[in-house]
Amino acid sequence: MAEHVRVVEVSPRDGLQNEAAFVATADKLELIRRLAASGLRSIEATAFVSPKWVPQMADAAELFPQLPRDDGRRYPVLVPNLQGYERAVACGVREVAVFTAASEAFTRKNINAGIEESLQRFEPVLERARADGVAVRGYVSTVLGCPYQGAVPVSDVVRVAARLHAMGCYEISLGDTIGVGTAGAARAMLQAVAGDIPMAALAVHFHDTYGQALANVFACLEAGVRTVDASVSGTGGCPYAKGASGNLATEDLVYALHGLGFDTGIDLATLVETGSWLSAKLGRDSLSKANRALHA
Ligand code: HMG
Ligand code: MG
């Protein structure tokens, strides 16, 4: 039987958070419905962050209760603090993701706190989540470079990832927030983190600014990772990471994974249609190469 790679779809959150024009809640729900129909089983649905900081996610509490409760899928949401956690759980959320970074400067810009302060903020979130039976994922951003600090030492990535894991995050997603990494650096970073955390508890999250995301994923698959984040149509970017472009397009990832003989449970044709639908809604061409090839 083919080996499975878990794809975590982040377009409803990472893909849309940077859009200037507000995407209607009904359209976000339709996107999630289509993503689910393509076979994706983990779909990051929204973020319970401050609406002043990220206006595009201001409808989180309206959107989440309209998602199916018992379709066997996971719909994690971002929470930056206990306030976000409480808002999320009140809406029926069963999985959250906390997020910090390996670079002090980016963390301050993104969540108005230093790395240590952010980790301390997460302690009560993890404590409550444990008591509530809510799963917690942890993100480490700027793992291969920071828009403000520049180079980021691998030892800082390892330290922050290990703290999140020790705190109780079941999985740590390693984010190249501004897409500056190349394959050798990505592999070395992953292997260093895997020295402290089991590979099975690691995921990779590449933005595609320099067109390196798929090469980076390949290097990390070779090193043993089996969970990859991606965003349909190559949407995405962080409003507080200057120069960040979209994520790796899920269609391109799935095409590559199937070509490598991995099973994903995802139907590429349905996914490509979903990407075309989203691009039409956003009024621009898809950034997915697989989409362009299949529509040529
Ligand atoms: P702050 O201003 O320091 O917060 O922001 P505060 O605690 O001082 O509160 C200020 C106001 O915000 C108060 O309201 C709070 O109630 C409210 P006021 O009294 O002024 O009316 N507030 C909230 N409202 C709703 N939900 C909440 C919440 N918390 C406070 N959870 C804060 C600190 C963390 C809140 C803010 O900086 C924030 O929301 N940041 C989020 C930034 C963000 O979402 N960035 C994008 C996601 S990260 C990413 O994209 C990277 C990733 O994809 C991986 C990768 O690519 O590397 C994950
Ligand atoms: Mg991201």
Side-chain angles (χ1 to χ4, degrees):
M1 216 171 83
E3 205 182 339
H4 186 74
V5 169
R6 187 165 90 94
V7 177
V8 177
E9 173 65 30
V10 296
S11 59
R13 192 279 303 171
D14 200 331
L16 298 182
Q17 70 186 6
N18 214 16
E19 286 295 316
F22 188 75
V23 177
T25 308
D27 290 337
K28 292 173 180 166
L29 286 164
E30 177 63 12
L31 170 63
I32 294 169
R33 192 195 65 72
R34 287 172 182 256
L35 292 167
S38 80
L40 281 153
R41 302 195 65 76
S42 286
I43 305 172
E44 198 173 68
T46 183
F48 287 80
V49 295
S50 162
K52 286 184 194 138
W53 282 67
V54 186
Q56 188 61 252
M57 297 287 112
D59 61 347
E62 190 189 334
L63 178 141
F64 198 89
Q66 298 185 62
L67 295 177
R69 281 291 173 101
D70 299 314
D71 66 352
R73 291 190 166 73
R74 294 157 76 156
Y75 296 105
V77 303
L78 290 198
V79 300
N81 52 20
L82 194 56
Q83 187 177 341
Y85 176 84
E86 282 171 350
R87 289 178 59 216
V89 168
C91 294
V93 165
R94 303 304 303 157
E95 177 169 342
V96 300
V98 293
F99 53 105
T100 185
S103 121
E104 191 70 24
F106 172 74
T107 315
R108 289 198 180 279
K109 295 262 190 207
N110 195 38
I111 52 175
N112 204 22
I115 298 170
E116 186 55 41
E117 191 184 346
S118 74
L119 293 168
Q120 280 168 20
R121 270 184 200 171
F122 301 155
E123 290 281 6
V125 173
L126 268 295
E127 208 172 293
R128 282 282 301 279
R130 230 181 334 268
D132 296 342
V134 167
V136 186
R137 193 176 203 232
Y139 275 104
V140 183
S141 284
T142 63
V143 297
L144 294 170
C146 166
Y148 311 105
Q149 171 186 317
V152 174
V154 169
S155 55
D156 289 350
V157 180
V158 174
R159 182 176 49 83
V160 177
R163 284 281 296 279
L164 287 172
H165 189 246
M167 227 179 244
C169 293
Y170 78 89
E171 182 172 271
I172 311 299
S173 177
L174 301 163
D176 182 10
T177 318
I178 53 169
V180 289
T182 49
R187 187 198 331 254
M189 181 276 301
L190 176 71
Q191 283 170 332
V193 179
D196 272 37
I197 302 172
M199 191 65 90
L202 295 177
V204 290
H205 176 114
F206 292 109
H207 286 259
D208 202 29
T209 318
Y210 286 83
Q212 301 301 302
L214 203 47
N216 293 344
V217 166
F218 184 68
C220 291
L221 286 169
E222 282 196 320
V225 88
R226 290 293 179 267
T227 303
V228 183
D229 299 357
S231 181
V232 78
S233 256
T235 46
C238 174
Y240 298 100
K242 204 173 45 168
S245 77
N247 291 72
L248 170 59
T250 317
E251 304 91 313
D252 299 3
L253 172 67
V254 167
Y255 179 81
L257 289 171
H258 291 177
L260 288 164
F262 288 108
D263 158 63
T264 63
I266 298 164
D267 179 61
L268 182 61
T270 310
L271 191 63
V272 164
E273 284 315 311
T274 302
S276 297
W277 176 87
L278 178 60
S279 299
K281 278 282 167 209
L282 298 177
R284 58 170 181 265
D285 291 340
S286 173
L287 294 174
S288 158
K289 290 260 173 70
N291 181 302
R292 290 182 204 171
L294 291 165
H295 281 113

